[in-house]
């Protein structure tokens, strides 16, 4: 039986995970949930899924949660607050499977602690692999736990690699939708508004990842994610723009054969794959209708108009603490864009600035990484204000 805890239950991944769990039946039990500050939705989820342990990141909303729960028939046995609360849920002894779907660096410590308690990790929180990939993979190997990516691309690559030998892989072909502005000129990119950037053509997701998809930073983060998850050199990962988001990624082998995984653009597909792995289970999602597809197209990404992609590759090449800077600078820049403080095309300029100012640390420890992360955030806030 899979006893599941979800970090970030009220976010887009969390909500969809709960939908999938509900459709899968009795072998899947929700034991832990965490939320940022969305008390109403959390209470609704508590009533429906009856978790044993719950944590709320926003401690100030604790009273509101307690008040709402006092009127409920069901109350979780354990309720915690803040980052410590997230760690309690992530490491809860009665769960064996963690859906790590927080957004950004905040998920690092709870996920690492869960690895050390030997939970299987279903990872949507790709930022933590970018900021501390070497440490996470080292710990996963040490504690012999599996990390299953919830990213459609990485789920696809994982499926293409099943039963294959690593040394027979020539390259990984990572597909990118291109986001809403793929055909925009450099001039028009300067005028992009928040509402336009939040309107993704093929995927319905949370705000941070939707902006990352529009700048193509998401693909840069995914490149680094693939590098760590599949232990493959950055120069063996090719990015191709595939606007239909039907081919979720591909693997090319030494004999020239290319294996692709296809499916509809719905995050519940990779979610269900991770939850049921190593088995497959019947799904109630619509099937892929090939006859309705006019064509599938593949194109080179434009590094000039989308400099975030170039910056991600540069950070990955420098290794050490540079991807940590890339990730933290991007988080602050995206947040500032969403709050109207900077323009869309300021995002790469500011990330480049932080990367230029940073003194590289090779083989950083966890302490180094946390320090570099906060240094970068301060540097970014300073220059934005
Ligand atoms: Mg993805």
């Amino acid at each position: 039986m899979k006893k599941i805890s979800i970090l970030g239950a009220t976010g887009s991944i969390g909500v969809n995970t709960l939908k999938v769990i509900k459709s899968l039946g009795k072998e899947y039990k929700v034991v832990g949930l965490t939320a940022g500050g969305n008390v109403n939705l959390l209470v609704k989820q508590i009533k429906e899924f009856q978790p044993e342990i719950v944590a709320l990141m926003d401690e100030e909303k604790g009273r509101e949660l307690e008040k709402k729960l006092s009127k409920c028939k069901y109350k979780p046995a354990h309720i915690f607050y803040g980052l410590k609360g997230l760690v309690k849920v992530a490491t809860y002894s009665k769960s064996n499977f963690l859906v790590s779907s927080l957004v950004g660096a905040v998920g690092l410590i709870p996920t690492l602690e869960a690895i050390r308690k030997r939970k299987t990790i279903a990872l949507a929180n790709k930022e933590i692999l970018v900021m501390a990939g070497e440490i996470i993979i080292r710990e996963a190997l040490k504690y012999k736990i599996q990390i299953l990516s919830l990213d459609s691309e990485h789920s696809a690559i994982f499926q293409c690699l099943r039963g294959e030998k690593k040394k027979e892989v020539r390259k990984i072909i990572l597909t990118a939708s291109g986001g809403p502005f793929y055909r925009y000129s450099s001039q028009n990119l300067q005028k992009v508004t928040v509402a336009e950037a939040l309107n993704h053509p093929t995927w319905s997701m949370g705000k941070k990842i939707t902006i990352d998809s529009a700048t193509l930073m998401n693909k840069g983060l995914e490149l680094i994610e693939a590098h760590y998850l599949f232990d493959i050199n950055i120069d063996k990962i090719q990015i191709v723009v595939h606007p239909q988001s039907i081919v979720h990624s591909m693997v090319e082998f030494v004999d020239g054969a290319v294996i692709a995984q296809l499916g509809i653009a719905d995050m519940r597909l990779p979610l269900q794959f991770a939850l049921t792995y190593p088995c497959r289970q019947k799904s109630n999602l619509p099937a892929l209708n090939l006859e309705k597809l006019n064509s599938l197209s593949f194109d080179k990404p434009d590094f000039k108009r989308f400099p975030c992609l170039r910056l991600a590759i540069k950070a990955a090449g420098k290794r050490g603490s540079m991807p940590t800077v890339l990730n933290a600078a991007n988080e602050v820049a995206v947040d500032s864009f969403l709050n109207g403080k900077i323009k869309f095309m300021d995002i790469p300029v500011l990330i480049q600035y932080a990367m230029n100012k940073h003194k590289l640390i090779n083989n950083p420890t966890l302490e180094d990484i946390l320090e570099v992360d906060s240094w970068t955030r301060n540097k970014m806030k300073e220059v934005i204000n």
Side-chain angles (χ1 to χ4, degrees), residues 307-374:
C308 282
L309 197 49
R310 188 174 42 78
L311 291 172
I313 293 170
K314 192 174 158 195
K318 295 254 179 207
R319 307 179 62 88
S321 53
M322 200 54 93
T324 312
V325 175
L326 174 90
N327 177 64
N330 182 55
E331 280 189 38
V332 178
V334 169
D335 195 51
S336 304
F337 171 67
L338 284 170
N339 290 317
K341 286 186 192 162
I342 63 168
K343 286 187 293 184
F344 185 70
M345 288 311 284
D346 290 337
I347 297 173
V349 175
L350 290 163
I351 297 168
Q352 171 97 67
Y353 171 81
M355 284 171 64
N356 288 346
K357 290 277 173 198
H358 176 62
K359 273 205 190 90
L360 186 74
I361 304 170
N362 291 310
N363 305 311
T365 61
L366 184 58
E367 286 70 36
D368 292 333
I369 281 171
L370 296 174
E371 215 174 285
V372 168
D373 180 79
S374 80

Side-chain angles (χ1 to χ4, degrees), residues 126 150-154 175 203 205 209 218-219 222 225:
K126 67 188 92 183
L150 296 177
D151 237 317
S152 60
E153 295 81 356
H154 304 75
T175 53
W203 290 97
M205 311 173 285
I209 186 172
N218 183 50
K219 213 45 58 179
E222 288 183 356
E225 182 185 5

Side-chain angles (χ1 to χ4, degrees), residues 23-239:
S23 75
L24 286 174
K26 282 187 214 134
E27 286 303 298
Y28 300 82
K29 164 95 182 97
V30 175
V31 296
L33 294 176
T34 84
N38 190 344
V39 172
N40 284 335
L41 183 53
L42 181 64
V43 169
K44 216 178 133 211
Q45 293 175 341
I46 290 171
K47 282 184 193 162
E48 185 171 0
F49 293 94
Q50 309 199 334
E52 295 166 27
I53 182 168
V54 159
L56 190 68
M57 186 67 182
D58 188 345
E59 299 185 43
E60 283 173 16
K61 290 193 175 168
R63 194 174 296 231
E64 193 187 328
L65 178 67
E66 306 262 344
K67 201 175 148 193
K68 287 204 166 116
L69 282 177
S70 67
K71 292 176 200 148
C72 295
K73 271 187 211 150
Y74 179 84
K75 214 178 162 191
H78 316 280
I79 301 173
F80 297 101
Y81 297 97
L83 184 63
K84 276 186 189 163
L86 300 188
V87 173
K88 292 264 190 203
V89 173
T91 57
Y92 187 54
S93 61
K94 289 186 199 162
S95 100
N96 53 23
F97 192 101
L98 180 74
V99 177
S100 171
S101 54
L102 294 171
V103 178
V106 63
L108 178 62
I109 300 298
T111 308
L112 264 181
E113 292 300 324
I115 291 172
R116 291 170 181 153
K117 291 279 186 254
R118 295 198 156 88
K119 318 287 183 200
T120 300
I121 309 289
L123 187 73
N125 188 186
K126 67 188 92 183
E127 291 93 348
I128 65 171
L129 263 188
V130 174
M131 77 181 284
E134 271 166 52
I135 293 173
I136 291 173
I137 297 300
R138 196 195 306 144
E139 294 294 284
L141 289 171
K142 182 176 164 191
Y143 290 93
K144 299 188 175 70
I145 62 101
Q146 182 122 36
I147 299 178
L148 298 157
S149 177
L150 296 177
D151 237 317
S152 60
E153 295 81 356
H154 304 75
S155 177
I157 295 162
F158 184 80
Q159 293 178 61
C160 295
L161 287 170
R162 273 178 107 181
E164 302 288 350
K165 294 188 181 77
K166 205 175 106 187
K167 63 171 200 259
E168 292 169 1
V169 172
R170 191 188 279 163
K171 67 178 178 190
I172 282 176
I173 304 165
L174 192 64
T175 53
S177 71
F181 311 130
Y182 177 60
R183 304 236 168 257
Y184 275 40
S185 67
S186 299
Q187 265 175 328
N188 287 340
L189 281 171
Q190 300 285 351
K191 296 178 223 152
V192 159
T193 64
V194 173
E196 286 166 342
L198 285 176
N199 190 13
H200 196 278
T202 51
W203 290 97
S204 159
M205 311 173 285
K207 280 185 181 175
K208 158 77 169 45
I209 186 172
T210 303
I211 301 301
D212 283 346
S213 298
T215 61
L216 290 200
M217 177 57 94
N218 183 50
K219 213 45 58 179
L221 301 179
E222 288 183 356
L223 177 101
I224 300 173
E225 182 185 5
H227 160 65
Y228 286 119
L229 282 177
F230 305 111
D231 188 24
I232 187 162
N233 282 340
I234 294 287
D235 60 7
K236 285 188 168 178
I237 308 172
Q238 180 191 357
I239 295 170

